Amino acid sequence: KAGVTQTPRYLIKTRGQQVTLSCSPISGHRSVSWYQQTPGQGLQFLFEYFSETQRNKGNFPGRFSGRQFSNSRSEMNVSTLELGDSALYLCASSLVAGGPGTQYFGPGTRLTVL
Amino acid sequence: AQTVTQSQPEMSVREAETVTLSCTYDTSENNYYLFWYKQPPSRQMILVIRQEAYKQQNATENRFSVNFQKAAKSFSLKISDSQLGDTAMYFCAFISTSGNTPLVFGKGTRLSVIA
């Protein structure tokens, strides 16, 4: 079974621009979660989607948004990029939402904001 | 709110030796899951081992085993016969079975395996 895929793998943007990252979960997985990883803050939860509905949201500004499609693929969008948004963005999928749903991670998208 | 603490920012071990990584957590929940993830320099986060809180038996996966002490809220990872490929960041993580809260990670322990 193919793992979680994320595109693109690397992105370079300038301040003020917006960016869209994509995540395709493992086949059959209906839950997708997004995390931001930085050296200073570690792994921080952004949001979780299950069956096209946002179930949980982390403590991030409204510039960060996401959505999930009927095929469980998910996108996250960051508008008006700031230097501090430079990070590794990880997507994880699981069969079910929360609880016993072990999360499997993709390779991440490395975003650099100049 | 749940918190996960990994008190060892960095550790090193020689090849073929055994090393134990510590993790403590704080929760008022009774039913939950605990995980160890490994993130090598390639940055891919890989599941190492998982423990259900309702199970008293400690989980094992080949050279990896855990020491789960529910009363003490402790969840350590033991790596036996360490290999160079075990060099990575190791993250301890917690999730409640209620499904209402996200996966919570510790800050990580950087493990270096030395030849």
Side-chain angles (χ1 to χ4, degrees):
Chain A
K1 214 181 240 190
V4 179
T5 58
Q6 291 186 246
T7 56
R9 294 292 310 278
Y10 302 92
L11 266 179
I12 300 176
K13 293 285 187 179
T14 56
R15 279 181 299 174
Q17 286 186 311
Q18 76 164 15
V19 66
T20 299
L21 312 182
S22 180
C23 172
S24 292
I26 293 170
S27 177
H29 285 195
R30 295 169 62 194
S31 176
V32 173
S33 297
W34 289 89
Y35 300 85
Q36 180 195 67
Q37 186 177 25
T38 59
Q41 298 298 319
L43 280 150
Q44 293 187 286
F45 170 75
L46 281 156
F47 24 67
E48 177 192 11
Y49 287 88
F50 180 76
S51 293
E52 301 179 67
T53 301
Q54 187 180 88
R55 291 189 70 254
N56 278 312
K57 188 177 192 304
N59 189 25
F60 278 81
R63 300 185 297 107
F64 291 81
S65 63
R67 59 178 175 169
Q68 187 179 33
F69 302 94
S70 58
N71 62 358
S72 295
R73 189 178 71 85
S74 176
E75 289 182 347
M76 67 163 280
N77 184 76
V78 188
S79 61
T80 318
L81 284 166
E82 300 177 359
L83 295 178
D85 297 333
S86 293
L88 180 69
Y89 289 88
L90 292 168
C91 159
S93 78
S94 60
L95 269 173
V96 297
T102 298
Q103 295 187 22
Y104 297 91
F105 285 78
T109 294
R110 168 74 65 187
L111 172 64
T112 301
V113 182
L114 302 175
Chain B
Q2 292 88 357
T3 58
V4 177
T5 302
Q6 294 179 248
S7 58
Q8 307 149 312
E10 292 191 34
M11 295 188 73
S12 63
V13 63
R14 294 201 177 276
E15 248 185 317
E17 293 186 345
T18 296
V19 64
T20 299
L21 280 57
S22 301
C23 171
T24 58
Y25 57 95
D26 188 26
T27 183
S28 58
E29 306 267 352
N30 191 48
N31 296 314
Y32 48 86
Y33 293 81
L34 294 160
F35 305 88
W36 279 98
Y37 284 92
K38 163 186 175 181
Q39 189 178 42
S42 67
R43 309 301 284 175
Q44 174 88 46
M45 191 79 77
I46 302 164
L47 176 69
V48 175
I49 201 164
R50 157 184 149 140
Q51 175 79 43
E52 294 89 340
Y54 66 86
K55 287 187 178 178
Q56 292 188 340
Q57 187 172 7
N58 289 322
T60 62
E61 284 289 341
N62 301 312
R63 298 182 295 107
F64 299 87
S65 62
V66 298
N67 183 5
F68 172 50
Q69 302 289 328
K70 191 173 183 180
K73 295 181 182 175
S74 170
F75 183 61
S76 61
L77 175 69
K78 184 171 84 170
I79 306 174
S80 304
D81 186 25
S82 297
Q83 301 176 358
L84 295 176
D86 296 333
T87 293
M89 280 289 286
Y90 286 81
F91 293 95
C92 178
F94 169 103
I95 193 166
S96 166
T97 56
S98 69
N100 294 326
T101 55
L103 190 61
V104 177
F105 287 89
K107 293 289 188 184
T109 296
R110 184 177 302 280
L111 176 68
S112 298
V113 180
I114 305 164

